[in-house]
Amino acid sequence: MVSERGLQVLRAIVQDYVDTREPVGSKAIVERHAFGVSAATIRNDMALLEDEDLIVAPHTSSGRVPTDKGYRVFVDHLAELRPLSSAQRSAITSFLDEAGDLDDLLARTVRALTQLTGQVAIVQYPSFARANLSHVELVALGGPRVLVILVTDTGRVSERIALVPFEPSESDIVQLRARVGALLVGRSVADCAQTVATTDGPRPGNALDAIADAVLRVVGEELEEFRQDRLVMAGAATLAKRESDFRGSIYPLLEAIEEQVTLLRLMTEMVADEQGLSASIGRENEPFGLVEASVLASRYDGSAGGARVGLLGPMRMDYSSNLAAVRAVAHYLTRMLEDDDTAR
């Protein structure tokens, strides 16, 4: 058990280490923080924290730095999150308000979050399990090419070029648009994917059926991508700038960013507190090969379902400010998606 003053000492060590990058000693704590006790008393508190594996001496006779367990206790006992400034809030609002479709909104979200925090920013696409296909548009591009545009009622937009066996006429495009629309529009993405997968192929000698079959193959591929979990990320270059904060190689983090599957699993399994915030720190990430990293996340909601927005970085990070930034951005995302739902 750690005493109340012991928690305050731990908080001081975490804050000073995050600010200075230097191990923290008892004398520095007495000078920087108003504990009203002697350095000897602080040294005793630090010894107890070390016994609990909450702090450690990186070098003989040095000050102390937090362990991953120490960061966890610090986060669990955060009295309050450091609020964003009005300028930061205004910057987020104006930047996200300029977004076009959902893809643009999520891309802007991670860019804003990494600029705010200096960490790798991550956002999950919302689940499209309940999304419906609201519009299909086909545009002849000349020659054997047709632009296929799919739109869901959650704001997801896809554009793909289908290579077709014959150059379609304007009349062909009108008929194809009506046929594909009647087959798919107003149905869930999952139902549409199933329908396309079971649609009979073209009849021999029927040119329009052959073109329709090529278009539907592209539609089916896009619908399958809609159903897959996806991440949008920004700020991977910040890891190189913070490489000294990692005891080992940053390669596992770069690999996780590139492959996405590991981060998707981790973010999905993180347990949120009553505020919807979650943190996975150090050894808690061992099953995912990210033992030197911290991941912070907050839930956001829209008509397509909930998902998470978060940060990936070293354990030595400003948890109070970063959690506040993640929560604020999640609130903006939820509000914007809800406003978009209302407008539709």
Side-chain angles (χ1 to χ4, degrees):
M1 292 293 293
V2 181
S3 68
E4 182 57 36
R5 193 177 65 227
L7 288 174
Q8 292 175 3
V9 171
L10 175 63
R11 186 177 296 116
I13 292 171
V14 171
Q15 291 171 343
D16 287 357
Y17 181 59
V18 167
D19 289 342
T20 68
R21 225 190 219 102
E22 296 293 333
V24 182
S26 56
K27 183 179 178 182
I29 292 175
V30 170
E31 291 174 350
R32 294 173 187 161
H33 303 273
F35 279 100
V37 296
S38 67
T41 300
I42 296 296
R43 279 196 296 274
N44 183 60
D45 291 328
M46 292 174 69
L48 295 174
L49 293 173
E50 197 163 8
D51 288 343
E52 294 289 336
D53 192 29
L54 300 179
I55 60 174
V56 66
H59 309 290
T60 305
S61 302
S62 74
R64 302 297 186 267
V65 300
T67 63
D68 47 2
K69 184 179 176 183
Y71 283 120
R72 163 53 64 192
V73 172
F74 170 78
V75 169
D76 289 345
H77 289 84
L78 269 177
E80 59 183 21
L81 301 184
R82 191 174 300 165
L84 300 185
S85 68
S86 57
Q88 289 173 320
R89 291 182 179 277
S90 296
I92 294 172
T93 303
S94 60
F95 189 58
L96 298 190
D97 279 347
E98 295 175 0
D101 56 22
L102 178 64
D103 293 332
D104 187 29
L105 175 60
L106 298 187
R108 285 172 174 271
T109 294
V110 290
R111 283 162 56 196
L113 193 51
T114 198
Q115 288 170 10
L116 271 176
T117 64
Q119 309 291 345
V120 178
I122 310 165
V123 62
Q124 289 176 296
Y125 266 86
S127 167
F128 287 93
R130 300 198 304 272
N132 293 323
L133 198 64
S134 60
H135 185 69
V136 176
E137 185 61 58
L138 303 177
V139 180
L141 297 178
R145 299 186 307 152
V146 175
L147 177 64
V148 180
I149 304 172
L150 305 178
V151 183
T152 72
D153 59 359
T154 57
R156 180 78 182 275
V157 179
S158 163
E159 296 183 359
R160 275 274 299 275
I161 293 176
L163 298 178
V164 296
F166 308 99
E167 180 175 1
S169 67
E170 186 175 333
S171 174
D172 290 336
I173 290 294
V174 171
Q175 291 182 64
L176 284 170
R177 187 185 299 124
R179 181 190 294 189
V180 176
L183 188 67
L184 304 177
V185 170
R187 302 177 64 183
S188 73
V189 167
D191 284 347
C192 289
Q194 180 65 26
T195 298
V196 170
T198 57
T199 298
D200 293 335
R203 291 187 293 275
N206 190 314
L208 189 61
D209 277 358
I211 297 172
D213 186 58
V215 168
L216 285 174
R217 276 201 303 272
V218 168
V219 169
E221 291 169 3
E222 287 299 286
L223 291 174
E224 282 301 321
E225 186 172 323
F226 276 22
R227 297 169 68 190
Q228 294 174 1
D229 288 331
R230 289 176 56 197
L231 294 176
V232 181
M233 286 176 277
T238 64
L239 291 177
K241 297 176 184 176
R242 296 174 176 271
E243 191 167 6
S244 61
D245 287 326
F246 297 92
R247 292 187 298 270
S249 170
I250 62 172
Y251 178 77
L253 280 77
L254 296 174
E255 188 175 49
I257 290 170
E258 183 175 351
E259 294 183 356
Q260 293 199 1
V261 176
T262 296
L263 290 175
L264 275 167
R265 281 180 50 225
L266 195 161
M267 291 186 76
T268 300
E269 294 178 16
M270 290 169 70
V271 178
D273 63 16
E274 62 276 4
Q275 301 181 70
L277 293 170
S278 50
S280 189
I281 301 170
R283 282 175 288 183
E284 296 168 0
N285 297 319
E286 188 169 5
F288 308 96
L290 300 172
V291 292
E292 292 191 25
S294 287
V295 179
L296 313 181
S298 181
R299 180 182 175 88
Y300 73 90
D301 293 285
S303 64
R308 280 176 165 162
V309 56
L311 296 169
L312 167 71
M315 287 186 287
R316 194 195 73 86
M317 67 163 64
D318 187 341
Y319 290 92
S320 179
S321 294
N322 289 348
L323 283 166
V326 166
R327 183 176 64 181
V329 169
H331 286 173
Y332 283 120
L333 262 181
T334 297
R335 189 199 71 196
M336 296 187 73
L337 291 173
E338 288 175 347
D339 288 348
D340 192 47
D341 296 340
T342 303
R344 282 198 294 270

